[in-house]
Amino acid sequence: MRGYIKYIGFLVVISLVVLWLAGVFSHREKTFEVEKKAKTVEGLKISKVERTQEVEVGYVGNIVADSVAEISTRVAGKITSVRVKEGQAVKKGQILLTLDASDILAQASAASEQVKQAEEAYKSAISNYEAVKKTYERYLSLLKENAITQQEFDQIKAQYDAARAQVEQAKAGIRAAQFQRKAVVSNLDYTTIRAPFDGYVSHKKVDMGDLAGPGTVLLVIERPPYKLEVNLPEKYVGRIRVGDVYPVYIDALNKTVQGRVSEVSPSVDPITRTFRVKLSLESGDLKSGMYAKMLISEKLSVILVPESAIFRRFDFTGVWVVKPDNTLELRFVKLGEKRGNMVEVLSGLSGDERIVVDGIEKACDGCKVGG
């Protein structure tokens, strides 16, 4: 019996300890949900999204110089000096580079000697001709007096004709030698390369010590003004006219300049269904080969937002939308073409939202917009 009582007492003690550890005997406050206070963000610039009915559609082209000269030489030789650098402005007639002219000078000396030899041969032919001519004239008088036979006269006449032919041949030899010398000497002009016009060096393809060959491009000289060459769809045929002015956006410079149409192709490419247009540009920062867009206004309903409003993280693109309760929501958007400093939104916005256009780095999801 006493053992049973001890067992019951032990159970009671254990139960009381468990209840005490569970907090049954402690005062408990009534539970309630703690309301989370939204963070307020200051310094955000908010703007309402609007749908525009007219946009500028960009057509890609390349900027080219008005005049481009690929400088080469028609003689082979080692380059002895290069006097310009890429990007350097040059004047017409300025020496750009020189080639070793020793071989040409040697050929010119040999050609001069050939001219001298031809002149000596001519003098000898003239002397022989004068001597034979006197004999011929004497025999002609004797023949008239029947003092010599016809055969004797024919022999002298043959010598006379041969002497006269030698004189003509010697004259031709002089002319040929002179032409040869002139051709050799003219090659000396190609060993000193000069600028064909005022411009600047856009490409330098050789250095001192390189071997230049005939037809090899050594330098490229360009001069402004610059033009934009662009292929437009055939739907613009008749709409684009010489003298029209269109904005041109230059991607590398991140600016827009005015372009005046200077040339319009009269035909359409049957394969690409496009025609070529050239626009004259006025800007001192342009370089040949730059990428640019000709902007043409078209009736088109699109949503445009500033580039500064786009939030990018890896492959995600979105904008911070201000909800009716003035809190922020990051919304995914699908982007279209970039138009100047604006970007076309294809989906994700309906056109009546308010979005953050400046200070997106401060925005956070669920935060309240201050001020």
Side-chain angles (χ1 to χ4, degrees):
M1 185 70 180
R2 294 179 60 185
Y4 180 74
I5 295 173
K6 287 182 179 180
Y7 178 73
I8 295 299
F10 177 75
L11 291 177
V12 170
V13 172
I14 293 299
S15 299
L16 291 175
V17 172
V18 171
L19 292 174
W20 178 75
L21 292 174
V24 173
F25 304 108
S26 300
H27 176 71
R28 303 177 69 182
E29 296 286 345
K30 186 178 180 180
T31 61
F32 60 93
E33 185 177 354
V34 178
E35 183 179 355
K36 184 178 180 182
K37 188 175 181 181
K39 177 183 176 181
T40 301
V41 181
E42 304 286 347
L44 301 181
K45 183 178 179 181
I46 310 299
S47 180
K48 187 176 180 180
V49 176
E50 295 184 359
R51 182 178 292 273
T52 181
Q53 301 302 317
E54 185 177 28
V55 297
E56 290 183 330
V57 179
Y59 293 95
V60 178
N62 290 317
I63 294 176
V64 296
D66 182 58
S67 298
V68 179
E70 294 185 339
I71 308 300
S72 61
T73 179
R74 71 178 188 184
V75 298
K78 183 179 180 181
I79 296 176
T80 55
S81 69
V82 179
R83 305 188 184 184
V84 292
K85 299 178 180 179
E86 284 192 357
Q88 179 179 334
V90 295
K91 294 290 185 181
K92 181 178 180 180
Q94 178 179 336
I95 297 178
L96 306 175
L97 53 84
T98 58
L99 279 69
D100 183 11
S102 57
D103 290 344
I104 299 177
L105 289 173
Q107 294 172 9
S109 298
S112 296
E113 290 298 323
Q114 290 176 355
V115 171
K116 291 180 180 179
Q117 292 176 5
E119 290 173 346
E120 292 297 326
Y122 175 72
K123 291 178 182 179
S124 177
I126 286 291
S127 299
N128 181 59
Y129 171 73
E130 293 296 337
V132 174
K133 182 180 178 182
K134 292 178 180 180
T135 304
Y136 169 76
E137 292 174 347
R138 187 172 65 252
Y139 269 59
L140 182 59
S141 299
L142 293 174
L143 179 63
K144 292 178 180 179
E145 297 173 358
N146 295 320
I148 60 172
T149 64
Q150 183 64 42
Q151 182 179 4
E152 291 174 326
F153 174 77
D154 290 342
Q155 290 177 349
I156 294 300
K157 186 178 183 301
Q159 294 176 11
Y160 170 76
D161 291 340
R164 185 168 58 182
Q166 288 176 357
V167 170
E168 295 302 322
Q169 185 178 0
K171 285 182 180 181
I174 292 177
R175 289 195 297 269
Q178 289 174 338
F179 288 145
Q180 179 66 23
R181 182 178 62 182
K182 184 177 180 180
V184 172
V185 171
S186 67
N187 286 334
L188 287 173
D189 295 336
Y190 293 90
T191 63
T192 301
I193 310 300
R194 300 178 182 272
F197 47 71
D198 294 351
Y200 77 95
V201 180
S202 61
H203 297 285
K204 181 177 74 71
K205 300 187 176 183
V206 292
D207 294 302
M208 186 176 68
D210 290 347
L211 183 63
T216 302
V217 177
L218 309 176
L219 301 167
V220 178
I221 307 293
E222 296 182 357
R223 69 176 174 189
Y226 289 90
K227 295 181 179 181
L228 171 65
E229 291 186 353
V230 58
N231 293 321
L232 298 180
E234 63 178 334
K235 66 179 181 179
Y236 291 112
V237 171
R239 176 177 169 182
I240 309 298
R241 296 181 176 87
V242 174
D244 292 347
V245 177
Y246 291 90
V248 174
Y249 177 73
I250 303 169
D251 190 69
L253 304 180
N254 193 26
K255 73 174 184 179
T256 301
V257 300
Q258 295 299 311
R260 184 177 298 275
V261 178
S262 59
E263 295 181 38
V264 178
S265 175
S267 60
V268 175
D269 189 313
I271 298 176
T272 63
R273 311 308 305 173
T274 61
F275 66 102
R276 175 156 299 212
V277 174
K278 293 184 180 180
L279 298 92
S280 297
L281 307 176
E282 294 183 1
S283 177
D285 301 328
L286 300 178
K287 300 294 181 184
S288 182
M290 279 185 171
Y291 165 92
K293 290 181 180 179
M294 177 183 178
L295 304 179
I296 303 177
S297 295
E298 289 188 0
K299 300 294 182 180
L300 187 65
S301 178
V302 296
I303 296 175
L304 297 178
V305 299
E307 176 74 19
S308 59
I310 304 300
F311 176 85
R312 290 182 171 86
R313 182 66 59 85
F314 304 108
D315 293 334
F316 178 85
T317 55
V319 295
W320 289 101
V321 177
V322 181
K323 298 193 294 185
D325 62 356
N326 228 30
T327 59
L328 296 173
E329 174 190 36
L330 182 60
R331 185 177 300 177
F332 170 77
V333 293
K334 183 178 180 181
L335 303 180
E337 187 176 352
K338 183 178 179 182
R339 306 181 189 278
N341 60 350
M342 306 291 284
V343 182
E344 181 181 347
V345 176
L346 301 178
S347 63
L349 295 175
S350 62
D352 59 354
E353 297 92 342
R354 291 188 303 148
I355 64 171
V356 179
V357 296
D358 193 19
I360 62 174
E361 68 280 355
K362 302 177 184 178
C364 54
D365 199 38
C367 294
K368 197 172 186 64
V369 177

